Amino acid sequence: MDKLADFLKYSNLFFYYKNLFSKKQKIYLELYFEEDYSFSEIAEEYGVTRQAVFDNIKRGMKQLDDYENKLNIYKRDMELKDKLQELRSGLSREKLERIIAELGFDEE
């Protein structure tokens, strides 16, 4: 898997599981995934080594995998999205579009 695909995967998982992290780890992960900070920029901001930031984020990514493997929230949401999109051909378009929008899956 390439770096961009990994980054997107973990960014999405972090969106779902961010509140399960400690304050410090959550801050590092937010800066990395949401604010596009580099390891060096985070290290400079918090007066730690680049290696410490790298280790912390790597550990966070492992935790994200563990959370998703146990809880499957992201996977279930993606399955729900797929099923709702599949239903587009079988329900009234207006009702289905409303449901999709209410669930936050509107792609338009």
Side-chain angles (χ1 to χ4, degrees):
M1 191 175 287
D2 63 50
K3 286 185 178 186
L4 179 58
D6 283 343
F7 185 84
L8 293 173
K9 170 191 168 185
Y10 289 110
S11 292
N12 285 326
L13 291 176
F14 185 62
F15 175 80
Y16 282 84
Y17 300 114
K18 73 168 62 178
N19 291 323
L20 300 176
F21 287 94
S22 69
K23 183 178 179 181
K24 181 176 98 176
Q25 196 168 24
K26 183 178 175 181
I27 289 170
Y28 287 0
L29 292 167
E30 282 175 342
L31 291 173
Y32 184 69
F33 288 120
E34 296 175 358
E35 303 296 327
D36 200 28
Y37 275 48
S38 68
F39 297 142
S40 298
E41 290 171 322
I42 297 169
E44 186 177 319
E45 177 95 13
Y46 288 93
V48 297
T49 66
R50 184 188 176 285
Q51 185 65 44
V53 173
F54 174 80
D55 291 344
N56 198 299
I57 290 174
K58 196 75 165 168
R59 192 170 39 257
M61 291 165 66
K62 183 183 178 323
Q63 283 179 269
L64 287 168
D65 283 329
D66 290 344
Y67 292 147
E68 180 59 14
N69 287 334
K70 291 176 183 170
L71 302 172
N72 290 307
I73 295 170
Y74 177 72
K75 179 182 173 190
R76 283 185 298 193
D77 272 3
M78 293 303 100
E79 289 171 355
L80 176 60
K81 179 181 178 182
D82 290 344
K83 289 185 186 311
L84 286 172
Q85 290 174 337
E86 205 175 299
L87 289 173
R88 284 185 179 195
S89 62
L91 293 175
S92 75
R93 187 132 183 106
E94 295 78 22
K95 184 175 182 180
L96 181 60
E97 292 299 331
R98 181 183 53 78
I99 291 168
I100 291 172
E102 287 173 358
L103 292 171
F105 293 126
D106 193 6
E107 292 186 65
E108 296 179 19

Coordinates of all heavy atoms in Angstrom, one line a residue, residues 1-14 32-33 61 64-65 74:
M1 N 0.8 -1.2 0.0 CA 0.0 0.0 0.0 C 0.9 1.2 0.0 O 1.9 1.3 0.6 CB -0.9 0.0 1.2 CG -2.0 1.0 1.2 SD -3.2 0.9 2.5 CE -4.1 -0.5 2.1
D2 N 0.5 2.3 -0.7 CA 1.3 3.5 -0.8 C 1.0 4.4 0.4 O 0.1 4.3 1.2 CB 1.1 4.2 -2.1 CG -0.3 4.7 -2.3 OD1 -0.8 5.4 -1.4 OD2 -0.9 4.4 -3.4
K3 N 1.9 5.4 0.5 CA 1.8 6.3 1.7 C 0.5 7.1 1.7 O 0.0 7.3 2.7 CB 3.0 7.3 1.6 CG 4.3 6.7 2.1 CD 5.4 7.7 2.1 CE 6.7 7.1 2.6 NZ 7.7 8.1 2.8
L4 N 0.1 7.6 0.5 CA -1.2 8.4 0.5 C -2.4 7.5 0.9 O -3.2 8.0 1.7 CB -1.4 8.9 -0.9 CG -2.7 9.7 -1.1 CD1 -2.7 10.9 -0.1 CD2 -2.8 10.2 -2.5
A5 N -2.4 6.3 0.5 CA -3.5 5.4 0.8 C -3.5 5.1 2.3 O -4.6 5.1 3.0 CB -3.5 4.1 0.1
D6 N -2.3 4.9 2.9 CA -2.2 4.7 4.3 C -2.6 6.0 5.1 O -3.3 5.9 6.1 CB -0.7 4.4 4.7 CG -0.4 2.9 4.4 OD1 -1.3 2.1 4.2 OD2 0.8 2.6 4.4
F7 N -2.2 7.1 4.6 CA -2.5 8.4 5.3 C -4.0 8.6 5.3 O -4.6 8.9 6.3 CB -1.8 9.6 4.6 CG -2.0 10.9 5.3 CD1 -1.2 11.2 6.3 CD2 -3.1 11.7 4.9 CE1 -1.4 12.4 7.0 CE2 -3.3 12.9 5.5 CZ -2.5 13.3 6.6
L8 N -4.7 8.3 4.2 CA -6.1 8.5 4.1 C -6.8 7.5 5.0 O -7.8 7.8 5.7 CB -6.6 8.3 2.7 CG -6.2 9.5 1.7 CD1 -6.5 9.1 0.3 CD2 -6.7 10.8 2.1
K9 N -6.4 6.3 5.0 CA -6.9 5.2 5.9 C -6.9 5.7 7.4 O -7.9 5.7 8.1 CB -6.2 3.9 5.7 CG -6.6 2.9 6.7 CD -5.6 1.7 6.7 CE -5.8 0.8 7.9 NZ -4.8 -0.3 7.9
Y10 N -5.7 6.1 7.8 CA -5.6 6.4 9.2 C -6.2 7.8 9.5 O -6.7 7.9 10.7 CB -4.1 6.4 9.6 CG -3.5 5.0 9.7 CD1 -2.6 4.6 8.7 CD2 -4.0 4.1 10.7 CE1 -2.2 3.2 8.8 CE2 -3.5 2.8 10.7 CZ -2.6 2.4 9.8 OH -2.2 1.1 9.8
S11 N -6.3 8.7 8.6 CA -7.1 9.9 8.8 C -8.5 9.6 9.0 O -9.1 10.2 9.9 CB -6.9 10.9 7.6 OG -5.6 11.3 7.5
N12 N -9.1 8.7 8.2 CA -10.5 8.3 8.4 C -10.7 7.6 9.7 O -11.7 7.9 10.4 CB -10.9 7.4 7.3 CG -11.2 8.2 6.0 OD1 -11.6 9.3 6.0 ND2 -10.9 7.6 4.9
L13 N -9.8 6.7 10.1 CA -9.9 6.0 11.4 C -9.8 7.0 12.5 O -10.6 6.8 13.5 CB -8.9 4.9 11.5 CG -9.1 3.7 10.5 CD1 -7.9 2.7 10.7 CD2 -10.4 3.0 10.8
F14 N -8.9 7.9 12.4 CA -8.7 8.9 13.5 C -10.0 9.7 13.7 O -10.4 10.0 14.8 CB -7.5 9.8 13.2 CG -7.2 10.7 14.3 CD1 -6.9 10.3 15.6 CD2 -7.3 12.1 14.1 CE1 -6.6 11.1 16.6 CE2 -7.0 13.0 15.2 CZ -6.7 12.5 16.4
Y32 N -0.9 15.9 12.9 CA -0.4 15.1 11.8 C -1.4 14.9 10.7 O -1.2 15.1 9.5 CB 0.3 13.8 12.3 CG 0.9 13.0 11.2 CD1 2.1 13.4 10.6 CD2 0.3 11.8 10.8 CE1 2.7 12.7 9.5 CE2 0.9 11.1 9.8 CZ 2.1 11.5 9.2 OH 2.6 10.7 8.2
F33 N -2.6 14.4 11.1 CA -3.6 14.0 10.2 C -4.5 15.1 9.8 O -5.0 15.1 8.6 CB -4.5 12.8 10.8 CG -3.7 11.5 10.9 CD1 -3.6 10.9 12.1 CD2 -3.2 10.9 9.7 CE1 -2.9 9.7 12.1 CE2 -2.6 9.7 9.8 CZ -2.4 9.1 11.0
M61 N -1.2 4.9 15.2 CA -1.7 4.2 14.0 C -2.0 2.7 14.4 O -3.0 2.2 13.9 CB -0.7 4.3 12.9 CG -0.6 5.7 12.4 SD 0.8 6.1 11.3 CE 0.5 5.1 9.9
L64 N -5.2 2.7 16.3 CA -6.3 2.9 15.3 C -6.7 1.5 14.7 O -7.9 1.2 14.6 CB -6.0 3.9 14.3 CG -6.0 5.4 14.8 CD1 -5.4 6.3 13.7 CD2 -7.4 5.8 15.2
D65 N -5.7 0.8 14.3 CA -5.9 -0.5 13.7 C -6.6 -1.4 14.7 O -7.6 -2.1 14.4 CB -4.6 -1.2 13.2 CG -4.1 -0.6 11.9 OD1 -5.0 -0.2 11.1 OD2 -2.9 -0.7 11.7
Y74 N -15.9 2.1 11.5 CA -15.7 2.6 10.2 C -16.1 1.7 9.1 O -16.8 2.1 8.1 CB -14.2 2.9 10.0 CG -13.8 3.4 8.6 CD1 -14.2 4.7 8.2 CD2 -13.1 2.6 7.7 CE1 -13.9 5.2 6.9 CE2 -12.8 3.1 6.5 CZ -13.2 4.4 6.1 OH -12.8 4.8 4.8

